[in-house]
Amino acid sequence: GYIGTGWLKKDFWEYNPSTNTWTQKADFGGAARGYAVGFSIGSKGYIGTGKIRVSGSNPVSTKDFWEYDPAANTWTRKADFGGTARFWAVGFSIGSKGYIGTGDISSSGSNPVFTKDFWEYDPATNTWIQKADFGGTARSVAVGFSIGSKGYIGTGYSSITTEDFWEYDPAANTWVQEANVPVGRSNATGFSVGTKGYIGSGFVNGEARDFYEFNPATHGWTAIDSFPGGPRYSPVGFSIGNKGYVGVGSLDNFGGFLNDFWEYTPSTTLPVTLTNVKAYQANAGVQIDWTTQQESNIEKYEVEKSNNAQQFSYLASVPAKGNSSVILKYNLFDPNPFAGVNFYRIKTIDKSGQATYSQVIKLNISRGVTMLTVYPNPVKGNTIVLQMNNLQKGNYNITLSNKIGQTIITKVIAHAGGSATQTIEPGKVLAEGVYQLRLTGSGINITRQVIKN
């Protein structure tokens, strides 16, 4: 787990739950800041937006965005957040994408300007795309987290303290209102563990310590034990495996900073710890391996696959080996992966039918001859020529979009199978720049970068 920045700070720390220790890592790569947003995608972490101090002036909002690589302990600046500079926004990740939305877009915050726009970040292309606005009123200091393939935002401040709670479906790009959080609040914290979400602490007519569990299967909330660290304002929350963590924060909005840190174990968490989930190409297929450090009353493991990290389908199941406190190894072979990008996850099911999911593993499959080539690239004139190799017979969708995600052209082609060339001629002259061309259909999801000089 990782905590960094804060009120005009840039130090960054790693928490190891197995040793219960903190280790200082490389300072955050951007300017010292507060009220920023952080989330993780795969093996990388991301921090952006917030308030920074420029040339001794009062702190102002910012939109720079940075990636942290824990393996190298390095920070890399990425494409700036796609919306207006802001602070006190919320962020979370779903599959291979990150999301940031809501917040205060005023420069200093003395006269708040709340917003509800919502943006998706794709680390594969280092691009931002604006999605459907958050379903509730514009606000700041809300809580956001994800459960499985859905995202959630709720509570916060919008001239009044709010209690509404909303679910985001990235596949449909839609928001649906869920049951309100039992007690409205702002400056709270939240996290998800398995199939449940958690919101608590923050400001409720004073600093609070009550906590609630959200179950998307029943669309309901249940009160759980109050946070034992005491009432506080703007704590940090995240999860590691089957545990939740909450800590730091302040006694009020003006200081009294805290550094205590607490672990929460949900009573319904599956009694299993998955580790070393990985997928790799093996001949023409994919080998999926995982290990467990402990098992108790587990029925089976189901492997699911996807070509977009949003809609997953059942691949196969593997029976659990029985109750154990030692490391157990599991594996499964997928003989028919998608051409191009594949996503895999492990669904653990206990003997009562309760289920939870592992992290999503991304793998790019190569099959000898490149299945899609753009030439010449950079493009000359206003014609794009595609060379398709060894593709199945069927209908394919071709989409060309610019660097901010706007669709330039979309086309459906009927491919007779095998290899062929296809000419794409946009209806308007292409401006100089970098474009993304995507080919989908018949199990194919391939993206190519196109350059126009």
Side-chain angles (χ1 to χ4, degrees), residues 258-282:
L258 303 166
N259 68 350
D260 55 328
F261 191 68
W262 298 78
E263 176 187 272
Y264 174 68
T265 302
S267 61
T268 57
T269 299
L270 285 177
V272 63
T273 301
L274 287 180
T275 59
N276 299 324
V277 181
K278 59 184 179 180
Y280 53 92
Q281 188 167 352

Side-chain angles (χ1 to χ4, degrees), residues 160-176:
I160 60 172
T161 300
T162 61
E163 60 186 13
D164 54 330
F165 186 70
W166 295 75
E167 177 188 85
Y168 176 68
D169 182 348
N173 188 30
T174 55
W175 292 91
V176 175

Side-chain angles (χ1 to χ4, degrees), residues 260-337:
D260 55 328
F261 191 68
W262 298 78
E263 176 187 272
Y264 174 68
T265 302
S267 61
T268 57
T269 299
L270 285 177
V272 63
T273 301
L274 287 180
T275 59
N276 299 324
V277 181
K278 59 184 179 180
Y280 53 92
Q281 188 167 352
N283 297 320
V286 171
Q287 181 74 28
I288 304 103
D289 295 337
W290 68 98
T291 60
T292 63
Q293 292 184 335
Q294 63 176 21
E295 286 186 23
S296 177
N297 297 318
I298 301 301
E299 179 72 24
K300 61 182 176 179
Y301 301 94
E302 292 184 351
V303 178
E304 298 182 341
K305 62 187 292 187
S306 171
N307 63 358
N308 60 13
Q310 295 179 3
Q311 291 85 35
F312 281 82
S313 60
Y314 171 82
L315 175 61
S317 65
V318 178
K321 295 181 179 180
N323 295 345
S324 174
S325 59
V326 300
I327 294 176
L328 298 175
K329 296 182 178 181
Y330 292 87
N331 60 77
L332 184 73
F333 184 70
D334 179 9
N336 299 301

Side-chain angles (χ1 to χ4, degrees), residues 173-206:
N173 188 30
T174 55
W175 292 91
V176 175
Q177 187 167 8
E178 294 280 358
N180 288 348
V181 178
V183 180
R185 66 197 61 224
S186 66
N187 300 87
T189 191
F191 55 85
S192 63
V193 177
T195 60
K196 307 290 179 59
Y198 300 86
I199 287 181
S201 196
F203 186 84
V204 185
N205 297 320

